[in-house]
């Protein structure tokens, strides 16, 4: 039993998600948290002690953390949102030598929503306007949410366009009529909302809305642990939750 236990390291352990992962891991026989650190603690030793590290630190640290992972040969699961292009490049590079799971959202429902959004965007005519609406708690620092961006990317992929070419990330003032093909984002912040996302396909005489509501943070923690189990055994590469959950055929 001991030999098959996965040694897990945790970055951002005192945060909302860090605490949720620790609580979810406490009850598991196959995963043992061997190092859990927060701001100010040294990070490199966590990678040296663990088989896999889950990172729920705020944006700005991912490139440095994945470099430690690659140096130590440790699998890396990162849930941080608002990643920069430099972070993405660092993940791509490290994915050549270690297993990495990166997901802006670890929930099964949201990953299924992404697949459904891509299908709807591919099937509905361009006259259907696509809007992504999200709401999160007042402490969230990035906007739109990583999940909203991923849903926008799924819609763009369904329409065979690049999100960056069609995204309208915010609207204010006299900005003119909505151009066809735009993918719009609207962000709400307040209270303790864990995460709610809707993708709206608005046609001239009908509107399709696909929505997901997170009921508790344990959902993301459980998904991150599923990803950690997957990464601990996977070949070096960069993976998404679609790979982890086997949703590729949806
Ligand atoms: P939080 O602010 O509650 O926690 C972050 C923690 O990281 C804090 O305790 C902070 O002190 C610590 N920290 C900061 N810098 C650090 C460093 N260099 N090393 C170690 N620890 C450090 O935030 P949160 O709500 O837990 O969210 C964290 C991130 O995860 C955000 O980017 C959020 O958007 C994202 N998130 C992702 C998912 C998902 O499913 N992928 C779900 C929820 C939140």
């Amino acid at each position: 039993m001991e030999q098959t236990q996965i040694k897990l390291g945790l970055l951002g352990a005192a945060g909302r998600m860090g605490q949720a992962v620790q609580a979810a891991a406490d009850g598991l026989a196959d995963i043992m948290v061997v190092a859990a650190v927060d701001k100010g603690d040294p990070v490199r030793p966590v990678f040296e002690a663990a088989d896999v590290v889950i990172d729920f630190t705020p944006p700005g640290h991912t490139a440095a953390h994945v470099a430690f992972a690659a140096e130590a040969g440790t699998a890396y699961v990162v849930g941080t949102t608002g990643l920069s292009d430099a972070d993405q490049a660092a993940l791509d590079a490290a994915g050549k030598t270690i297993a990495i799971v990166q997901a802006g959202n670890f929930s099964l429902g949201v990953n299924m929503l992404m697949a459904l959004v891509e299908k709807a965007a591919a099937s509905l005519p361009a006259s259907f306007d696509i809007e992504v609406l999200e709401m999160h708690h007042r402490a969230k620092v990035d906007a739109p949410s990583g999940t909203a961006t991923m849903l926008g990317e799924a819609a763009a992929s369904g329409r065979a366009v690049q999100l960056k070419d069609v995204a309208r990330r915010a609207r204010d003032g006299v900005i003119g009529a909505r151009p066809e093909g735009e993918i719009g984002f609207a962000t709400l912040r307040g209270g303790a909302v864990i995460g709610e996302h809707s993708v709206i396909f608005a046609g001239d005489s009908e509107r399709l809305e696909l929505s997901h509501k997170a009921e508790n943070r344990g959902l993301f923690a459980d998904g991150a642990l599923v990803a950690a189990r997957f990464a601990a055994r996977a070949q070096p590469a960069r993976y998404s939750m679609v790979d982890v959950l086997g949703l590729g055929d949806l």
Side-chain angles (χ1 to χ4, degrees):
M1 188 64 151
E2 284 278 305
Q3 281 168 343
T4 59
Q5 257 194 344
I6 297 168
K7 288 186 256 166
L8 177 70
L10 197 48
L11 306 181
R16 280 175 289 264
M17 279 310 304
Q19 290 184 47
V21 172
Q22 206 138 16
D26 271 352
L28 300 175
D30 66 328
I31 293 182
M32 181 173 53
V33 178
V34 292
V37 302
D38 204 83
K39 196 173 181 171
D41 299 326
V43 166
R44 192 192 295 260
V46 178
F47 287 96
E48 285 161 1
D51 300 318
V52 54
V53 168
I54 297 179
D55 186 345
F56 272 114
T57 58
H61 309 286
T62 307
H65 290 172
V66 77
F68 289 141
E71 259 175 52
T74 303
Y76 181 61
V77 174
V78 59
T80 304
T81 58
L83 298 184
S84 66
D85 290 348
D87 292 327
Q88 297 287 1
L91 291 170
D92 285 343
K96 296 188 168 71
T97 56
I98 56 168
I100 296 173
V101 179
Q102 182 260 320
N105 194 306
F106 285 112
S107 103
L108 170 62
V110 160
N111 284 280
M112 190 163 287
L113 176 63
M114 284 199 300
L116 296 173
V117 164
E118 185 169 350
K119 272 214 159 161
S123 306
L124 292 169
S127 58
F128 277 75
D129 297 322
I130 303 178
E131 294 283 307
V132 182
L133 173 66
E134 59 106 334
M135 181 162 189
H136 282 84
H137 55 89
R138 63 171 75 90
K140 184 165 179 60
V141 295
D142 53 315
S145 70
T147 302
T149 304
M150 282 157 52
L151 290 166
E153 272 162 5
S157 162
R159 284 195 164 167
V161 295
Q162 295 286 318
L163 180 61
K164 65 177 170 43
D165 297 333
V166 295
R168 171 79 74 165
R169 293 170 66 86
R171 295 188 181 96
D172 187 30
V174 182
I175 55 162
R178 186 190 201 286
E180 188 174 277
E182 189 168 88
I183 295 178
F185 290 86
T187 299
L188 309 182
R189 290 286 175 268
V193 177
I194 290 172
E196 301 192 357
H197 295 86
S198 292
V199 180
I200 302 163
F201 296 83
D204 289 325
S205 20
E206 60 181 333
R207 193 164 73 231
L208 170 67
E209 299 191 4
L210 301 173
S211 299
H212 178 269
K213 293 180 171 61
E215 310 282 15
N216 65 65
R217 223 163 245 117
L219 151 94
F220 305 125
D222 289 344
L225 288 165
V226 170
R229 262 191 210 104
F230 174 95
R233 296 183 180 115
Q235 291 300 310
R238 195 174 155 176
Y239 300 96
S240 71
M241 279 310 274
V242 170
D243 303 315
V244 173
L245 297 169
L247 295 175
D249 294 335
L250 255 187

